[in-house]
C-alpha cells in the first residue's frame, strides 16, 4: 500500500516530530529560566505557542510560514524572553527551588513516564495497524489536507486551510491551526507522507499526557511515587484518548487535552512568584492552548481554575490573597489578548457566525452517565474495573493529596459537565457546551483526566500504606515498583490491547473494502497525482474517500471535506449537474474557472443511498470523458477537449 512506510521513515518521522515539538520550547524555556521537569513539560506547549503565533503573523506580514520562519520566530521569542529576564531578574530574583525528590525518585518518575509513553504508543499503533495508516473519520481529511496546504503554500493564516473546501463564493471558516502548523514543518523536514505525519503525532499523545501530569505533581511538591503512578495510570483509560483517536480523529482536541495540565503548572509558578519571566511563561502557555484550539483554553480554565479555590481557601489573609492574585492576573489577560488577538477575534467571529450549531443527541440518563465515569466505560462492552478500584482507593485516601486536593474539584466540575451534556439538550447546556460542540466524547475525555489522576493517587497511597506497615529495611521504592508493576500486570499492560482494539475501527477493518477510504481508492488517488499537472483540479464526490486526494498527492479536488455546510456555488453546481457538461454552459464555465481536467470517483455508496452526488451518476460512456485508470473501487477519467 502507498500508505505503508518503511522502518527508516517511521524512525525519521518520530525523530523529526520530537525535534519540532521540543527544541523551540526548550530554547525559549531555558531563556525564561525554566529548568528540570518544568522545562521538559512546558517545552511542547511553548513550541505550539511559538508556531501557533508564527503562522498567522507571517501571513499578516506577507511572509511564508515554513521551517525557516518557524526557526527564526523561535530565535526572536527566545531573545525577547532572555532579554526580559536579564533586565528584570535583579528586581525579581528567582529563588532556588528546595530539593524534593532524591535521584532515585527522579529516575523512577522518568521510568514511569517512559513506560506510559511506550504502552500508550503501542496501543495507538496497534489500533492503527501500522504508522502511516489513513484515519477513516470525517475530521481527518480536513487536518490532512490542511497540513499539506500549509507546507505547500506557506499560508499560515487562520482561514487558509479552509480555502481547500470553501473557495470562490464561499467563506472559509476560522480554525485554530497550531497543530497543523507544526505538523506542516514536520512534514517538510521528515519527507514522510501526510498520514505518517499525523499518525506519529497521534502516537505520542498518551506519553505527552503522562509527562504533563508528572510535571504537575512535581510543581505542587507531590511525592515521586505519586508522579510516577499518575503518569502510568493516565494512559490506561479508554475514554481519555483512544475513543477520540478512533472517531474524527479529534487531533487538536486531543493535543489540547494532553497539554491542559500544564496550565496549572504555569499558573502556580506565576502566582507563587509574580515576576516578568513567570508572567511571560503563563502568557505563552495560555496563548499556546488557545492556538491549539479555542476550546482548549476553556478546558484549561475548567481544569486549573479550582487550584485558585484551594489557594484562596487556605488560612490567613484570604481577602488580601484573593485581591493580590486577581490583580496579578489582570495584566496576564490583557497581554494575552494583545498577543493572540487574531485567534481571539477569529473565535468570536466563528461563535457569532451563521454556521449551524445542532449539538449531539442525548446519550444516557444522568445516573448512567455517572456510572460511565466511575466504571471507565463509555460505549465499550466491559468496564475497566481495575481503574475503578484504583479510583476508589484515591477517594478513600483523598486527604493525602495535600496541595493537589483541588484536583477533586476539577474532577467534580468536568464530571458534572459530562453528565449534563450526556443527559440533556436544554438551551443552557447547549450554550455552555458550545466551545466543544456539545460533544459527549470530548466531555468524558476531559472528565477522565482528573479521575485518572485520582486513581493514580490511589495506587500511590496504597504504596504508602503498605510501606508504613513493613519493616524499615524494605525500601519504599521497591514497594512502589511492586505496586505499579502489579497494576500494569492485572490490567494486561494498562489495557493496551483493549484500547487499541477500540481505536482500530477508525483505521482498519477485517475487510478493507468496507473502509471509508479503501486501499484501491488510495491507489487511485496516488495515480491521479502522477497524471495531473500542477494547477489541474479533479471533480470528485464529497462523500467517498477521494476527499483525501490533496493530502496524498497535492492535486486539488472540487470537494476536499465531507462537510457540505455553505459550500462554494461552483461545487454545488458541479455536484448536481457535472454530467450535463456538453449541454450546460454554466457547468462548462465552472469547469473552466476551477481548471477541472480530471474526474476521480471512489467506491460508491451502498443502496439505498445514491451511489454518488447526482451530477456524478452515469459518467461511464459519456463522450466528453475518457477512462484512464480503473480498479475495483475507483476510476479516473480525463476530460476531453477541455479549454
Amino acid at each position: 500500500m502507498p500508505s505503508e512506510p518503511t522502518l527508516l521513515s517511521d524512525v525519521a518521522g518520530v525523530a523529526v516530530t520530537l525535534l519540532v515539538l521540543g527544541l523551540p520550547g526548550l530554547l525559549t524555556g531555558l531563556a525564561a529560566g525554566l529548568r528540570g521537569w518544568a522545562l521538559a513539560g512546558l517545552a511542547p506547549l511553548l513550541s505550539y505557542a511559538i508556531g501557533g503565533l508564527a503562522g498567522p503573523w507571517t501571513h499578516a506580514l506577507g511572509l511564508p510560514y515554513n521551517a525557516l520562519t518557524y526557526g527564526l520566530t523561535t530565535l526572536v521569542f527566545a531573545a525577547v524572553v532572555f532579554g526580559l529576564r536579564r533586565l528584570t531578574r535583579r528586581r525579581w530574583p528567582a529563588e532556588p527551588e528546595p530539593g524534593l525528590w532524591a535521584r532515585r525518585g527522579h529516575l523512577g518518575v522518568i521510568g514511569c513516564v517512559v513506560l506510559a509513553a511506550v504502552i500508550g504508543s503501542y496501543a495507538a499503533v496497534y489500533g492503527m495497524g501500522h504508522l502511516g495508516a489513513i484515519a477513516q473519520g470525517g475530521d481527518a481529511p480536513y487536518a490532512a489536507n490542511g497540513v499539506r496546504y500549509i507546507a505547500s503554500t506557506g499560508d499560515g493564516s487562520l482561514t487558509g486551510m479552509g480555502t481547500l473546501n470553501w473557495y470562490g463564493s464561499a467563506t472559509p471558516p476560522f480554525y485554530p491551526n497550531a497543530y497543523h502548523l507544526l505538523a506542516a514543518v514536520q512534514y517538510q523536514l521528515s519527507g514522510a507522507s501526510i498520514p505518517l505525519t499525523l499518525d506519529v503525532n497521534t502516537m505520542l499523545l498518551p506519553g505527552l499526557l503522562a509527562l504533563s501530569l508528572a510535571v504537575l505533581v512535581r510543581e505542587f511538591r507531590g511525592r515521586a511515587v505519586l508522579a510516577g503512578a499518575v503518569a502510568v495510570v493516565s494512559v490506561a483509560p479508554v475514554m481519555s484518548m483512544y475513543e477520540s483517536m478512533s472517531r474524527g480523529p479529534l487531533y487538536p482536541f486531543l493535543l489540547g487535552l494532553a497539554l491542559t495540565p500544564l496550565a496549572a503548572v504555569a499558573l502556580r509558578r506565576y502566582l507563587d512568584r509574580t515576576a516578568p519571566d513567570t508572567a511571560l511563561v503563563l502568557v505563552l502557555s495560555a496563548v499556546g492552548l488557545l492556538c491549539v484550539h479555542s476550546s482548549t483554553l476553556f478546558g484549561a480554565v475548567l481544569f486549573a481554575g479550582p487550584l485558585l479555590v484551594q489557594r484562596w481557601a487556605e488560612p490567613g489573609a484570604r481577602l488580601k490573597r484573593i485581591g493580590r492574585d486577581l490583580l496579578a492576573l489582570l495584566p496576564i489577560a490583557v497581554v494575552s489578548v494583545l498577543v493572540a488577538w487574531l485567534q481571539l477575534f477569529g473565535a468570536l467571529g466563528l461563535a457569532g457566525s451563521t454556521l449551524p450549531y445542532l449539538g449531539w443527541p442525548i446519550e444516557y440518563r444522568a445516573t448512567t452517565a455517572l456510572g460511565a465515569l466511575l466504571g471507565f466505560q463509555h460505549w465499550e462492552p466491559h468496564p475497566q474495573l481495575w481503574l475503578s478500584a484504583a479510583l476508589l482507593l484515591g477517594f478513600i485516601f483523598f486527604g493525602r493529596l495535600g496541595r493537589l486536593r483541588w484536583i477533586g474539584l476539577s474532577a467534580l466540575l468536568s464530571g458534572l459537565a459530562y453528565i449534563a451534556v450526556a443527559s440533556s439538550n436544554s438551551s443552557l447546556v447547549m450554550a455552555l457546551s458550545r466551545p466543544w460542540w456539545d460533544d459527549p466524547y470530548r466531555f468524558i475525555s476531559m472528565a477522565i483526566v482528573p479521575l485518572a489522576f485520582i486513581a493514580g493517587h490511589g495506587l500511590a497511597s496504597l504504596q504508602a500504606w503498605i510501606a508504613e506497615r513493613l519493616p524499615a529495611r524494605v525500601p519504599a521504592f521497591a514497594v512502589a515498583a511492586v505496586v505499579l508493576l502489579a497494576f500494569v500486570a492485572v490490567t494486561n499492560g494498562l489495557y493496551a490491547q483493549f484500547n487499541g482494539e477500540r481505536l482500530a475501527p477508525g483505521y482498519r477493518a477485517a475487510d478493507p473494502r468496507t473502509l471509508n477510504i479503501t486501499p484501491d481508492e488510495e491507489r487511485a488517488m496516488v495515480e491521479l497525482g502522477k497524471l495531473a499537472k500542477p494547477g489541474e483540479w479533479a471533480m470528485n464526490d464529497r462523500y467517498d474517500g477521494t476527499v483525501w486526494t490533496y493530502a496524498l498527492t497535492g492535486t486539488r479536488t472540487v470537494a476536499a471535506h465531507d462537510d457540505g455546510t455553505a459550500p462554494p456555488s461552483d461545487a454545488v453546481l458541479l455536484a448536481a449537474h457535472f454530467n450535463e457538461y456538453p449541454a450546460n454552459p454554466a457547468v462548462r464555465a465552472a469547469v473552466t474557472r476551477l481548471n477541472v481536467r480530471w474526474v476521480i470517483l471512489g467506491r460508491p455508496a451502498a443502496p439505498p443511498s445514491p451511489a454518488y452526488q447526482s451530477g456524478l451518476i452515469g459518467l461511464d460512456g459519456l463522450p466528453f470523458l475518457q477512462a484512464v485508470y480503473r480498479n475495483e473501487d475507483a476510476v479516473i477519467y480525463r476530460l476531453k477537449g477541455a479549454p
Side-chain angles (χ1 to χ4, degrees):
M1 281 301 303
S3 62
E4 293 184 5
T6 64
L7 177 61
L8 181 61
S9 65
D10 285 351
V11 173
V14 173
V16 169
T17 299
L18 292 174
L19 179 70
V20 171
L21 296 188
L23 185 58
L26 284 172
L27 292 176
T28 306
L30 283 169
L34 296 175
R35 299 293 184 270
W37 284 97
L39 176 62
L42 285 164
L45 180 53
L46 295 178
S47 294
Y48 277 105
I50 294 167
L53 292 173
W57 285 359
T58 53
H59 178 76
L61 294 172
L63 299 173
Y65 173 83
N66 50 38
L68 176 61
T69 49
Y70 177 51
L72 291 175
T73 306
T74 297
L75 295 179
V76 170
F77 270 90
V80 170
V81 171
F82 178 79
L84 180 65
R85 183 167 179 265
R86 187 175 180 84
L87 290 172
T88 59
R89 65 182 175 182
R90 289 187 178 180
R91 182 174 177 183
W92 291 279
E95 298 178 2
E97 294 187 4
L100 177 62
W101 298 343
R103 181 182 181 185
R104 182 178 292 166
H106 285 287
L107 293 176
V109 176
I110 291 172
C112 288
V113 171
V114 171
L115 176 65
V118 169
I119 292 178
S121 296
Y122 167 78
V125 177
Y126 175 79
M128 295 172 188
H130 62 85
L131 287 175
I134 292 180
Q136 301 293 309
D139 294 290
Y142 185 81
N145 290 332
V147 171
R148 179 79 178 236
Y149 173 84
I150 294 170
S152 300
T153 66
D155 180 0
S157 68
L158 295 165
T159 58
M161 298 188 307
T163 59
L164 291 172
N165 193 60
W166 290 276
Y167 47 83
S169 63
T171 302
F174 157 84
Y175 199 86
N177 60 351
Y179 172 90
H180 312 83
L181 288 163
L182 267 66
V185 174
Q186 296 159 24
Y187 171 70
Q188 288 176 324
L189 295 179
S190 69
S193 67
I194 293 293
L196 177 59
T197 301
L198 298 180
D199 288 354
V200 168
N201 277 276
T202 301
M203 177 191 80
L204 296 176
L205 287 173
L208 191 57
L209 175 62
L211 175 62
S212 297
L213 290 172
V215 172
L216 176 67
V217 174
R218 168 73 181 179
E219 184 62 34
F220 282 82
R221 317 291 298 160
R223 294 191 305 139
V225 175
L226 175 60
V230 166
V232 167
V233 172
S234 68
V235 303
V238 68
M239 299 104 80
S240 64
M241 288 277 174
Y242 309 102
E243 276 194 344
S244 290
M245 287 180 183
S246 180
R247 59 179 292 274
L250 304 176
Y251 297 118
F253 169 77
L254 290 172
L255 172 62
L257 186 70
L259 297 173
T260 289
L262 299 170
V265 173
L267 178 60
R268 183 182 186 275
R269 292 179 68 86
Y270 173 65
L271 293 178
D272 281 1
R273 180 178 159 270
T274 305
D277 55 343
T278 57
L280 194 53
V281 170
L282 179 56
V283 167
L284 288 177
S285 298
V287 169
L289 293 171
L290 179 64
C291 289
V292 168
H293 199 273
S294 309
S295 67
T296 301
L297 185 57
F298 291 106
V301 171
L302 190 66
F303 180 87
L307 81 84
L308 294 175
V309 176
Q310 180 173 344
R311 179 184 176 89
W312 293 343
E314 291 174 355
R318 292 174 179 168
L319 291 178
K320 183 178 179 180
R321 188 185 309 124
I322 293 172
R324 185 176 65 246
D325 286 353
L326 291 176
L327 189 62
L329 289 173
L330 181 60
I332 299 297
V334 172
V335 174
S336 297
V337 169
L338 293 175
V339 171
W341 69 271
L342 288 173
Q343 284 82 2
L344 286 170
F345 281 98
L348 291 173
L350 180 63
S353 71
T354 57
L355 268 175
Y357 169 54
L358 304 176
W360 288 78
I362 291 174
E363 286 190 335
Y364 300 129
R365 294 181 301 174
T367 51
T368 308
L370 176 61
L373 290 172
L374 300 180
F376 293 85
Q377 180 187 19
H378 193 198
W379 293 108
E380 292 70 36
H382 307 291
Q384 295 178 309
L385 291 178
W386 287 109
L387 283 170
S388 299
L391 179 63
L392 177 61
L393 289 174
F395 287 140
I396 292 172
F397 294 107
F398 186 77
R400 294 192 179 198
L401 267 174
R403 298 179 183 181
L404 284 160
R405 290 194 305 274
W406 58 267
I407 288 284
L409 183 54
S410 296
L412 178 63
L413 292 176
S414 56
L416 289 174
Y418 164 68
I419 292 171
V421 167
S423 61
S424 172
N425 272 337
S426 71
S427 56
L428 177 61
V429 169
M430 292 281 287
L432 293 177
S433 62
R434 179 159 188 167
W436 301 272
W437 296 95
D438 186 49
D439 183 1
Y441 282 84
R442 303 184 202 219
F443 277 91
I444 200 169
S445 295
M446 292 190 295
I448 287 298
V449 171
L451 287 175
F453 188 103
I454 296 172
H457 165 63
L459 294 184
S461 298
L462 177 63
Q463 178 270 343
W465 185 86
I466 294 173
E468 290 165 3
R469 285 157 178 77
L470 290 176
R473 64 177 179 274
V474 179
F477 79 88
V479 179
V482 170
V483 169
L484 293 181
L485 290 176
F487 183 77
V488 172
V490 298
T491 56
N492 293 318
L494 302 178
Y495 298 107
Q497 188 168 346
F498 176 86
N499 293 337
E501 290 171 353
R502 180 65 181 84
L503 187 156
Y507 286 86
R508 56 188 173 91
D511 179 5
R513 296 196 68 211
T514 63
L515 294 170
N516 294 333
I517 301 95
T518 71
D520 274 345
E521 285 181 321
E522 183 184 353
R523 290 186 181 95
M525 287 184 273
V526 171
E527 185 65 24
L528 177 62
K530 300 173 183 177
L531 294 170
K533 297 177 182 178
E536 293 182 343
W537 285 39
M539 182 62 200
N540 69 318
D541 186 84
R542 186 174 297 279
Y543 303 108
D544 64 19
T546 60
V547 290
W548 268 85
T549 300
Y550 182 78
L552 296 177
T553 69
T555 300
R556 289 287 299 269
T557 52
V558 172
H561 188 23
D562 64 2
D563 186 348
T565 304
S569 56
D570 283 345
V572 174
L573 174 67
L574 294 178
H577 302 287
F578 180 77
N579 48 15
E580 303 169 10
Y581 174 80
N584 191 326
V587 170
R588 292 199 302 274
V591 165
T592 301
R593 278 193 297 272
L594 299 180
N595 197 27
V596 174
R597 294 292 184 271
W598 306 89
V599 180
I600 181 168
L601 295 179
R603 183 173 172 81
S609 300
Y612 303 109
Q613 294 170 286
S614 59
L616 295 170
I617 293 175
L619 296 187
D620 251 351
L622 292 182
F624 67 95
L625 295 175
Q626 176 187 0
V628 295
Y629 176 87
R630 189 185 298 271
N631 62 36
E632 197 170 359
D633 286 342
V635 60
I636 300 174
Y637 300 99
R638 182 176 62 83
L639 194 63
K640 295 180 181 178

